[in-house]
Amino acid sequence: MTKLNPHQTIALSVNLNKIALIRNSREGNNPDIVGYAKKCIAAGADGLTVHPRPDQRHIRPEDCYQLQALVNEYKARQPTLEFNIEGNPFAGFCAKSRSDFSDYPGFIDILAQCKADQATLVPDSDTQLTSDHGFDLSGDNTELINIIKTIHDIGSRVSLFMDPDIDQISKAKEIGADRIELYTGPYADAYLANNRSDITSKHFEAHRKAA
């Protein structure tokens, strides 16, 4: 995730999901999420990002709580450091999928306990391997509007995961989102298949205009 501050400089938030994925493939706490988070901060990262899913395939709720505590500790000397929690805002309670896991309390409950700097809302289902599309805001957005208000009341900024569609992005602002994150999958696929072709350039231009 990248974001622009008022001075228009790029800030890097490092996603720790894959570190957690490796850890969850074995017993114990190796690699240690908090340890790697400290390495990222020491290397100059401006923030940390996680995406807790109900199946807890990588980041678990307790990881979020520990990482938020770490960010709060570092903010005393690095006040611009941020914690970003991504997830499906409609994901509710889910019983633990392994005996060594705790229950998944629901995405909003995790946010309420952490009070992260930013909540990035993503419209992915529990069965998706990874996020592969942005929000479709063409219908009734009442439920999403209410969720955004709830998250604002918690004290977190809201970013919506969006495709590079100008009309949809305008609606994101209208329903209360503070920021957006652009889904760049089609551009990446075009680049891998066609390298620097006209097709790739077309996708790049769409993302540039959306930004």
CSV table of all heavy atoms in Angstrom, one decimal, residues 1-3 10-16 40 44-50 71 81-86 118 120 157 181:
chain,number,residue,atom,x,y,z
A,1,MET,N,0.8,-1.2,0.0
A,1,MET,CA,0.0,0.0,0.0
A,1,MET,C,0.9,1.2,0.0
A,1,MET,O,1.8,1.3,0.7
A,1,MET,CB,-0.9,0.0,1.2
A,1,MET,CG,-1.8,1.3,1.3
A,1,MET,SD,-2.4,1.6,3.0
A,1,MET,CE,-0.9,2.2,3.7
A,2,THR,N,0.6,2.2,-0.9
A,2,THR,CA,1.2,3.5,-0.8
A,2,THR,C,0.2,4.6,-0.6
A,2,THR,O,-1.0,4.4,-0.8
A,2,THR,CB,2.0,3.8,-2.2
A,2,THR,OG1,1.0,3.8,-3.2
A,2,THR,CG2,3.1,2.8,-2.4
A,3,LYS,N,0.7,5.7,0.0
A,3,LYS,CA,-0.2,6.8,0.2
A,3,LYS,C,0.5,8.1,0.0
A,3,LYS,O,1.7,8.1,0.0
A,3,LYS,CB,-0.8,6.7,1.7
A,3,LYS,CG,0.3,6.8,2.7
A,3,LYS,CD,-0.3,6.7,4.1
A,3,LYS,CE,0.8,6.8,5.2
A,3,LYS,NZ,1.4,8.1,5.3
A,10,ILE,N,5.9,9.8,-1.3
A,10,ILE,CA,5.4,8.5,-1.3
A,10,ILE,C,5.8,7.8,0.0
A,10,ILE,O,7.0,7.9,0.4
A,10,ILE,CB,5.8,7.7,-2.5
A,10,ILE,CG1,5.2,8.2,-3.8
A,10,ILE,CG2,5.5,6.2,-2.3
A,10,ILE,CD1,5.7,7.6,-5.0
A,11,ALA,N,4.9,7.2,0.7
A,11,ALA,CA,5.2,6.5,2.0
A,11,ALA,C,4.9,5.0,1.7
A,11,ALA,O,3.9,4.6,1.1
A,11,ALA,CB,4.4,7.0,3.1
A,12,LEU,N,5.8,4.2,2.3
A,12,LEU,CA,5.7,2.7,2.1
A,12,LEU,C,5.2,2.0,3.3
A,12,LEU,O,5.7,2.2,4.4
A,12,LEU,CB,7.0,2.1,1.7
A,12,LEU,CG,7.1,0.6,1.6
A,12,LEU,CD1,6.3,0.1,0.4
A,12,LEU,CD2,8.5,0.1,1.5
A,13,SER,N,4.1,1.2,3.1
A,13,SER,CA,3.6,0.4,4.2
A,13,SER,C,3.8,-1.1,3.8
A,13,SER,O,3.4,-1.5,2.7
A,13,SER,CB,2.1,0.6,4.5
A,13,SER,OG,1.6,-0.1,5.6
A,14,VAL,N,4.5,-1.8,4.6
A,14,VAL,CA,4.9,-3.2,4.3
A,14,VAL,C,3.9,-4.2,4.7
A,14,VAL,O,3.5,-4.2,5.9
A,14,VAL,CB,6.3,-3.5,4.9
A,14,VAL,CG1,6.7,-5.0,4.6
A,14,VAL,CG2,7.4,-2.6,4.4
A,15,ASN,N,3.4,-5.0,3.8
A,15,ASN,CA,2.4,-6.1,4.1
A,15,ASN,C,3.1,-7.3,4.7
A,15,ASN,O,4.0,-7.9,4.0
A,15,ASN,CB,1.7,-6.4,2.8
A,15,ASN,CG,0.4,-7.2,3.1
A,15,ASN,OD1,0.4,-8.2,3.9
A,15,ASN,ND2,-0.7,-6.9,2.4
A,16,LEU,N,2.7,-7.7,5.9
A,16,LEU,CA,3.3,-8.9,6.6
A,16,LEU,C,2.6,-10.2,6.4
A,16,LEU,O,3.0,-11.2,7.0
A,16,LEU,CB,3.4,-8.5,8.1
A,16,LEU,CG,4.2,-7.3,8.4
A,16,LEU,CD1,4.0,-6.9,9.9
A,16,LEU,CD2,5.7,-7.5,8.2
A,40,CYS,N,11.3,-4.2,9.6
A,40,CYS,CA,10.8,-3.3,8.5
A,40,CYS,C,10.8,-1.9,9.0
A,40,CYS,O,11.2,-1.0,8.2
A,40,CYS,CB,9.3,-3.7,8.2
A,40,CYS,SG,9.1,-5.3,7.4
A,44,GLY,N,13.3,1.5,7.6
A,44,GLY,CA,12.7,2.8,7.1
A,44,GLY,C,11.3,2.7,6.6
A,44,GLY,O,10.8,3.7,6.1
A,45,ALA,N,10.6,1.6,6.9
A,45,ALA,CA,9.2,1.5,6.5
A,45,ALA,C,8.3,2.6,7.2
A,45,ALA,O,8.6,2.9,8.4
A,45,ALA,CB,8.6,0.2,6.7
A,46,ASP,N,7.4,3.2,6.5
A,46,ASP,CA,6.5,4.2,7.1
A,46,ASP,C,5.3,3.6,7.7
A,46,ASP,O,4.5,4.3,8.4
A,46,ASP,CB,6.1,5.2,6.0
A,46,ASP,CG,7.2,5.8,5.3
A,46,ASP,OD1,7.9,6.7,5.9
A,46,ASP,OD2,7.5,5.5,4.2
A,47,GLY,N,5.0,2.3,7.5
A,47,GLY,CA,3.8,1.7,8.1
A,47,GLY,C,3.9,0.2,7.9
A,47,GLY,O,4.7,-0.4,7.2
A,48,LEU,N,2.9,-0.5,8.6
A,48,LEU,CA,2.7,-1.9,8.5
A,48,LEU,C,1.3,-2.2,8.1
A,48,LEU,O,0.4,-1.5,8.5
A,48,LEU,CB,3.0,-2.6,9.9
A,48,LEU,CG,4.3,-2.3,10.5
A,48,LEU,CD1,4.4,-2.9,11.9
A,48,LEU,CD2,5.5,-2.9,9.7
A,49,THR,N,1.1,-3.2,7.2
A,49,THR,CA,-0.2,-3.6,6.7
A,49,THR,C,-0.4,-5.1,6.9
A,49,THR,O,0.5,-5.9,6.8
A,49,THR,CB,-0.3,-3.3,5.2
A,49,THR,OG1,-0.3,-1.9,5.0
A,49,THR,CG2,-1.5,-3.9,4.6
A,50,VAL,N,-1.6,-5.4,7.3
A,50,VAL,CA,-2.0,-6.8,7.5
A,50,VAL,C,-3.4,-7.0,7.0
A,50,VAL,O,-4.2,-6.0,6.8
A,50,VAL,CB,-2.0,-7.3,9.0
A,50,VAL,CG1,-0.5,-7.3,9.5
A,50,VAL,CG2,-2.9,-6.4,9.9
A,71,VAL,N,3.3,-0.6,17.1
A,71,VAL,CA,3.3,0.7,16.4
A,71,VAL,C,3.1,1.8,17.4
A,71,VAL,O,3.7,2.8,17.3
A,71,VAL,CB,2.1,0.7,15.3
A,71,VAL,CG1,1.9,2.1,14.8
A,71,VAL,CG2,2.5,-0.3,14.2
A,81,LEU,N,4.5,6.9,11.9
A,81,LEU,CA,4.4,5.5,11.6
A,81,LEU,C,2.9,5.1,11.7
A,81,LEU,O,2.2,5.6,12.6
A,81,LEU,CB,5.2,4.7,12.6
A,81,LEU,CG,5.2,3.2,12.4
A,81,LEU,CD1,6.0,2.8,11.2
A,81,LEU,CD2,5.8,2.5,13.7
A,82,GLU,N,2.4,4.3,10.8
A,82,GLU,CA,1.0,3.9,10.7
A,82,GLU,C,0.8,2.4,10.6
A,82,GLU,O,1.7,1.7,10.2
A,82,GLU,CB,0.4,4.6,9.5
A,82,GLU,CG,0.3,6.1,9.6
A,82,GLU,CD,-0.7,6.7,8.6
A,82,GLU,OE1,-1.1,6.0,7.6
A,82,GLU,OE2,-1.2,7.8,8.8
A,83,PHE,N,-0.4,2.0,11.1
A,83,PHE,CA,-0.8,0.6,11.0
A,83,PHE,C,-2.1,0.6,10.2
A,83,PHE,O,-3.1,1.3,10.5
A,83,PHE,CB,-1.1,0.1,12.4
A,83,PHE,CG,-1.3,-1.4,12.5
A,83,PHE,CD1,-0.6,-2.3,11.6
A,83,PHE,CD2,-2.2,-1.9,13.4
A,83,PHE,CE1,-0.9,-3.6,11.7
A,83,PHE,CE2,-2.5,-3.3,13.4
A,83,PHE,CZ,-1.8,-4.2,12.6
A,84,ASN,N,-2.1,-0.3,9.2
A,84,ASN,CA,-3.2,-0.4,8.3
A,84,ASN,C,-3.7,-1.8,8.3
A,84,ASN,O,-3.0,-2.8,8.1
A,84,ASN,CB,-2.7,0.0,6.8
A,84,ASN,CG,-3.8,-0.4,5.8
A,84,ASN,OD1,-4.9,0.0,5.9
A,84,ASN,ND2,-3.4,-1.1,4.7
A,85,ILE,N,-5.0,-2.0,8.6
A,85,ILE,CA,-5.6,-3.3,8.6
A,85,ILE,C,-6.6,-3.4,7.5
A,85,ILE,O,-7.5,-2.6,7.3
A,85,ILE,CB,-6.4,-3.5,10.0
A,85,ILE,CG1,-5.4,-3.4,11.1
A,85,ILE,CG2,-7.0,-4.9,9.9
A,85,ILE,CD1,-6.0,-3.7,12.5
A,86,GLU,N,-6.4,-4.4,6.6
A,86,GLU,CA,-7.2,-4.6,5.4
A,86,GLU,C,-8.2,-5.8,5.7
A,86,GLU,O,-7.9,-6.6,6.5
A,86,GLU,CB,-6.4,-5.0,4.2
A,86,GLU,CG,-5.4,-4.0,3.7
A,86,GLU,CD,-4.7,-4.4,2.5
A,86,GLU,OE1,-4.6,-5.7,2.2
A,86,GLU,OE2,-4.1,-3.6,1.8
A,118,GLN,N,-5.5,3.2,9.8
A,118,GLN,CA,-6.4,3.1,8.6
A,118,GLN,C,-7.0,1.7,8.5
A,118,GLN,O,-6.4,0.7,8.8
A,118,GLN,CB,-5.5,3.3,7.3
A,118,GLN,CG,-6.3,3.1,6.0
A,118,GLN,CD,-5.5,3.7,4.8
A,118,GLN,OE1,-5.2,4.9,4.7
A,118,GLN,NE2,-5.2,2.8,3.9
A,120,THR,N,-8.5,-0.5,5.5
A,120,THR,CA,-8.7,-0.6,4.0
A,120,THR,C,-9.7,-1.7,3.8
A,120,THR,O,-9.5,-2.9,4.1
A,120,THR,CB,-7.4,-1.0,3.3
A,120,THR,OG1,-6.4,0.0,3.6
A,120,THR,CG2,-7.6,-1.2,1.8
A,157,ARG,N,-9.1,6.0,9.8
A,157,ARG,CA,-9.4,6.4,8.4
A,157,ARG,C,-9.8,5.3,7.6
A,157,ARG,O,-9.5,4.1,7.8
A,157,ARG,CB,-8.0,7.0,7.9
A,157,ARG,CG,-8.1,7.7,6.5
A,157,ARG,CD,-6.7,8.3,6.2
A,157,ARG,NE,-5.6,7.3,6.2
A,157,ARG,CZ,-4.6,7.3,6.9
A,157,ARG,NH1,-4.4,8.2,7.8
A,157,ARG,NH2,-3.6,6.4,6.8
A,181,GLU,N,-7.5,2.5,-2.5
A,181,GLU,CA,-6.4,1.7,-3.0
A,181,GLU,C,-6.7,1.1,-4.3
A,181,GLU,O,-7.8,0.5,-4.5
A,181,GLU,CB,-6.0,0.6,-2.0
A,181,GLU,CG,-4.9,-0.3,-2.5
A,181,GLU,CD,-4.6,-1.4,-1.5
A,181,GLU,OE1,-5.1,-1.4,-0.4
A,181,GLU,OE2,-3.8,-2.3,-1.9
